[in-house]
Amino acid sequence: MDYMYCTYLHTQSAKIKRKRSFSLKDLCSLFFGMCRIVVTAHCCTTGLEWLNTEGPLSLQKELAGKVVVLDFFTYCCINCMHLLPDLHQLEQLHTVKDGLVVVGVHSAKFPNEKALQNVCSAVLRYSITHPVVNDRDARLWQELEVACWPTLVILGPRRNLLFSLVGEGHRESLLLFTAAALKHYKEQGLLQDHAVGIKLYRDSLPPSILSFPGKVAVDPNSKTLAIADTGHHRVLVVSNTGNVLHSVGGSKSGWKDGSLSEALFSSPQGVFIKGDTVFVADTENHLIRKIDLSKGRVTTLAGIGVQGTDKEGGAMGPQQPISSPWDVILGSVGGMEDNVLWIAMAGTHQIWAVFLEDGKLPKGSEYGKGTCVRFAGSGNEENRNNAYPHKAGLAQPSGLALAPSQPWNCLFIADSESSTIRSLSLSDGAVKHVVGGERDPLNLFAFGDVDGKGVDAKLQHPLGVAWDASSSLLYVTDSYNHKIKVVDPKTKQCRVLAGTGEASDVFGPGFTESSFNEPGGLCVAEGGKLLYVADTNNHHIKVLDLETKKVSLVSGKCGVLLTHVPKLPKSAPVLSKTALPVSAGQDISMNLSLTLPAGTKLTKEAPSFWSLSAEGNEWLLEGQAVTGDIANLSQPLSIICSVPAQPQSTDPVLTLSAWVYCCLSEGGACMMKVVSFTQPLLIGSERKSGTVAVMLTHAF
């Protein structure tokens, strides 16, 4: 945009904020006579990938005659997340038929965010229901001279630039100006009420038992797990054998205290469990919650249910506004045990505390029970270390680990937007660098995937940390590198522990042959023998055995409990095969051969996968892979099922289903294709070895 024009628009925006009694007529006279800059008809949208639509949208066709709000965002950014409720309210007030279309323009900060699969996951996690275009090479960003995230650009029905808003916190201006634009152009007869072909991406996906689990925690005494089932807005309390003991929340998103069956959460992230108590970072409600399993009650410890901007705190918890808490961990200060709950306050780039009993912060004042107050962080988004906690700068802290013993006595912090691991002393409040990033406190782009020492090591948006006191090692979910890493804080050495670096869901023979997809949290169990990992975009809780170097899923008596056998769409063909004679001890090799529709190609970034089930005969699949990626259709995919030596039935039925995502070869719209095969088995009593093969073919 032209500099003088930008200056004019922002001057008028300031006038709106000062004079809130402007009428719509006033606004029309202020702005619309000046709006003559026109975006080119193609606006660099050709060849881009679209979500939540039936096909690509263009300003010249589908968006002609509409007031269009372009939301330039990147899905890692907490400020961009804070803007989504504003856009949701805007869409509730004005529909496509009214002449308004909101379009999310995803322009990535991190390389990982360019992949379509990861943008798809973000659209689902954040419940985005308007069209989204993947501006992976920042073509739209550059054409409209966008400079930071988030930025809103509002276009008139003739592709004319009207207005821009930079950053969060402009809800009033956005609603007022958009209403004025719609009124003005309706009076001019320039609005059109046609539909734009909305097709929600979420409607094409099968349900799952877990949905984007953000964090996992374990009680070392009972070995019980607490899982933040973020996408389902609930917290699961699960035995170490995979049995769900309590499911709290989940019927819908909301804020409600009360019994376990009636309580509501909104995209909870951090969890901490000790005994019968679970603490929860209720992220999108901007609350800290407490689940008392013995009493069967959920209460609110801090927050008022809307995003706060206070960066100091000091009020009693239920009166203290807070902003996007991402993790919590129970700690001790002032010689009292378990008297403080530490909070990674991602929304204000700080570490806060809620006092469960009276206590005193390091280098701070004494606080009474129930007080919610800042501990560290200026509130500026920086990678700034400092001996004084209030002068240090953090950048969207998203994970906490407590190392209470000497010589550590600190909190370790996964500081996601600086791509660093930091430490916060519980003795004097000093914030120090551990690994990642660089020395310039203002450079939040020093990311990568490099083993090394201190600043020579590179991470990409780490979201979780876990401390193993037995080995004095820190485990890290290097989320956007799809890896688990281990850090020795004494030497500041950082190295890969598990993960291939590819965003997939493969169980290999060892740690480095197994894969993850944006893991968000982890915890240490069994005295340092196991790691539980919230493999967020794979919708799994995985177990890493640090002795055998094997990766598995949390499982129960009848196989995997916390994975899902997806529900087929009604339109999916179900192909029944003739019964296959096999013997106990043999392997069944199901060779899956699929052919895509003419003119399409497999979308490599999208999550094509297969799923194997044996309803009523789960014993047949116990300990075996029941799902996997489909990355190549040029040759048949071999899926192995081993018949146990002592089968519990002679006539089980295997069901193999495939979900395939493909796009038109010339680019544009993507589609989902699904097929299911049922394979009856006839298991003989005589034990044999070897492999029995069966071919499963289908052309979409």
Side-chain angles (χ1 to χ4, degrees):
M1 292 175 66
D2 176 80
Y3 173 76
M4 292 301 294
Y5 184 70
C6 252
T7 302
Y8 173 80
L9 290 180
H10 287 290
T11 299
Q12 305 312 317
S13 178
K15 286 183 179 180
I16 293 174
K17 291 183 176 180
R18 288 196 302 268
K19 184 178 178 182
R20 302 193 178 190
S21 60
F22 266 106
S23 67
L24 295 183
K25 183 176 181 181
D26 294 330
L27 286 172
C28 294
S29 65
L30 274 173
F31 290 100
F32 303 124
M34 297 291 295
C35 299
R36 294 290 182 265
I37 298 178
V38 176
V39 180
T40 55
H42 66 283
C43 195
C44 292
T45 60
T46 55
L48 297 182
E49 300 156 324
W50 286 83
L51 294 169
N52 287 343
T53 66
E54 295 176 347
L57 304 181
S58 76
L59 293 171
Q60 196 173 23
K61 296 179 181 178
E62 292 84 2
L63 299 178
K66 303 290 188 184
V67 171
V68 180
V69 177
L70 300 177
D71 172 28
F72 285 86
F73 76 108
T74 184
Y75 71 76
C76 69
C77 170
I78 194 69
N79 310 94
C80 300
M81 299 179 209
H82 290 164
L83 199 62
L84 292 175
D86 298 353
L87 296 176
H88 178 71
Q89 182 175 345
L90 181 67
E91 292 176 288
Q92 294 294 107
L93 293 171
H94 310 289
T95 66
V96 173
K97 187 175 179 63
D98 295 332
L100 176 73
V101 179
V102 176
V103 176
V105 183
H106 188 269
S107 303
K109 170 185 175 180
F110 292 99
N112 176 70
E113 295 179 302
K114 294 183 178 183
L116 177 63
Q117 174 187 351
N118 300 332
V119 180
C120 290
S121 295
V123 166
L124 293 173
R125 279 202 310 274
Y126 303 148
S127 299
I128 297 174
T129 56
H130 51 251
V132 173
V133 60
N134 185 18
D135 187 26
R136 61 186 305 157
D137 297 317
R139 289 158 52 186
L140 287 168
W141 174 282
Q142 293 168 11
E143 176 161 328
L144 293 178
E145 299 183 17
V146 176
C148 65
W149 302 279
T151 294
L152 296 177
V153 176
I154 305 176
L155 307 178
R158 295 171 295 185
R159 308 191 309 275
N160 48 316
L161 285 167
L162 300 180
F163 197 50
S164 68
L165 292 166
V166 177
E168 60 172 296
H170 303 296
R171 177 181 295 190
E172 185 178 339
S173 296
L174 172 66
L175 299 181
L176 187 60
F177 186 83
T178 306
L182 291 169
K183 182 177 186 298
H184 173 77
Y185 288 117
K186 182 178 181 179
E187 291 174 349
Q188 298 294 314
L190 296 175
L191 292 182
Q192 299 179 23
D193 63 359
H194 62 273
V196 295
I198 301 295
K199 183 180 181 181
L200 297 183
Y201 176 64
R202 69 185 184 193
D203 292 343
S204 67
L205 297 179
S208 60
I209 290 184
L210 293 179
S211 177
F212 301 104
K215 303 284 185 183
V216 59
V218 65
D219 180 358
N221 294 323
S222 67
K223 302 180 182 179
T224 302
L225 298 175
I227 299 169
D229 190 9
T230 309
H232 287 144
H233 310 291
R234 66 179 178 174
V235 175
L236 296 178
V237 180
V238 180
S239 72
N240 65 333
T241 59
N243 297 309
V244 177
L245 305 176
H246 301 279
S247 177
V248 190
S251 60
K252 58 183 178 180
S253 171
W255 172 24
K256 187 175 183 181
D257 289 340
S259 68
L260 302 187
S261 61
E262 64 185 3
L264 295 176
F265 299 87
S266 184
S267 297
Q269 286 284 345
V271 286
F272 182 90
I273 181 170
K274 185 172 183 179
D276 288 327
T277 301
V278 183
F279 296 101
V280 183
D282 193 5
T283 305
E284 291 191 7
N285 273 331
H286 310 284
L287 299 172
I288 302 299
R289 314 287 289 282
K290 176 184 175 181
I291 303 173
D292 188 326
L293 299 174
S294 63
K295 296 180 180 179
R297 305 292 295 176
V298 177
T299 55
T300 296
L301 295 181
I304 62 173
V306 295
Q307 182 192 346
T309 58
D310 184 4
K311 297 181 181 180
E312 299 289 339
M316 297 300 288
Q319 287 78 50
Q320 177 61 58
I322 60 176
S323 179
S324 299
W326 213 270
D327 203 6
V328 290
I329 195 165
L330 188 63
S332 305
V333 291
M336 289 191 63
E337 185 178 357
D338 296 344
N339 64 335
V340 65
L341 188 70
W342 303 114
I343 307 167
M345 201 71 76
T348 54
H349 314 291
Q350 296 171 315
I351 305 300
W352 282 50
V354 173
F355 282 90
L356 307 178
E357 299 293 342
D358 295 350
K360 180 180 179 181
L361 290 176
K363 282 190 176 179
S365 305
E366 293 187 1
Y367 295 97
K369 178 180 178 180
T371 306
C372 183
V373 66
R374 167 185 63 158
F375 176 25
S378 64
N380 297 325
E381 189 174 7
E382 297 175 331
N383 178 23
R384 188 180 301 278
N385 301 301
N386 201 289
Y388 295 92
H390 290 183
K391 292 185 178 180
L394 301 170
Q396 206 170 310
S398 301
L400 295 175
L402 178 64
S405 302
Q406 297 295 347
W408 314 111
N409 193 28
C410 70
L411 288 171
F412 288 106
I413 304 167
D415 200 40
S416 61
E417 280 294 279
S418 67
S419 295
T420 64
I421 304 301
R422 322 274 283 280
S423 68
L424 172 56
S425 172
L426 297 179
S427 299
D428 59 15
V431 177
K432 298 179 181 179
H433 172 268
V434 182
V435 295
E438 71 155 49
R439 292 181 176 86
D440 180 356
L442 299 181
N443 184 1
L444 301 182
F445 288 80
F447 50 78
D449 184 9
V450 181
D451 288 356
K453 180 179 180 179
V455 294
D456 293 330
K458 290 292 180 281
L459 308 169
Q460 189 181 178
H461 202 76
L463 289 173
V465 281
W467 176 246
D468 179 17
S470 64
S471 62
S472 293
L473 293 176
L474 186 71
Y475 294 98
V476 179
T477 54
D478 191 4
S479 305
Y480 285 7
N481 283 324
H482 316 291
K483 292 180 178 180
I484 308 302
K485 294 187 176 179
V486 59
V487 174
D488 183 342
K490 184 176 180 179
T491 63
K492 293 193 173 184
Q493 289 287 342
C494 176
R495 62 177 175 85
V496 175
L497 175 71
T500 63
E502 297 294 325
S504 59
D505 193 20
V506 174
F507 294 85
F511 279 177
T512 55
E513 294 82 28
S514 299
S515 60
F516 305 87
N517 192 342
E518 292 191 12
L522 76 173
C523 63
V524 177
E526 300 289 345
K529 296 178 182 179
L530 300 179
L531 289 179
Y532 289 103
V533 176
D535 194 6
T536 304
N537 285 1
N538 280 327
H539 315 291
H540 293 325
I541 301 298
K542 292 182 176 176
V543 188
L544 277 63
D545 189 317
L546 296 173
E547 294 182 341
T548 65
K549 309 300 181 186
K550 298 291 185 181
V551 180
S552 60
L553 293 167
V554 173
S555 61
K557 296 178 181 178
C558 296
V560 175
L561 286 182
L562 292 179
T563 57
H564 66 278
V565 177
K567 183 179 179 181
L568 291 177
K570 293 181 180 180
S571 59
V574 178
L575 308 179
S576 299
K577 306 292 290 185
T578 57
L580 181 69
V582 295
S583 296
Q586 288 187 317
D587 290 338
I588 303 169
S589 177
M590 291 167 283
N591 299 306
L592 181 64
S593 178
L594 302 175
T595 304
L596 294 177
T600 66
K601 62 180 181 179
L602 194 67
T603 306
K604 293 182 179 180
E605 295 89 350
S608 298
F609 64 97
W610 57 266
S611 176
L612 185 63
S613 63
E615 186 174 356
N617 291 281
E618 286 79 7
W619 56 268
L620 183 59
L621 300 177
E622 186 169 355
Q624 305 188 58
V626 295
T627 187
D629 290 342
I630 299 176
N632 183 6
L633 293 180
S634 62
Q635 56 187 12
L637 177 66
S638 180
I639 299 164
I640 303 296
C641 173
S642 299
V643 181
Q646 296 181 333
Q648 299 176 25
S649 171
T650 59
D651 57 351
V653 177
L654 287 171
T655 300
L656 179 64
S657 303
W659 280 258
V660 177
Y661 293 85
C662 54
C663 293
L664 297 175
S665 298
E666 63 270 18
C670 297
M671 62 196 81
M672 179 188 72
K673 298 293 183 181
V674 183
V675 65
S676 183
F677 300 89
T678 59
Q679 178 60 70
L681 304 180
L682 293 176
I683 302 178
S685 57
E686 183 181 357
R687 182 171 180 177
K688 297 181 180 179
S689 59
T691 300
V692 177
V694 60
M695 198 72 186
L696 306 176
T697 62
H698 180 68
F700 291 112

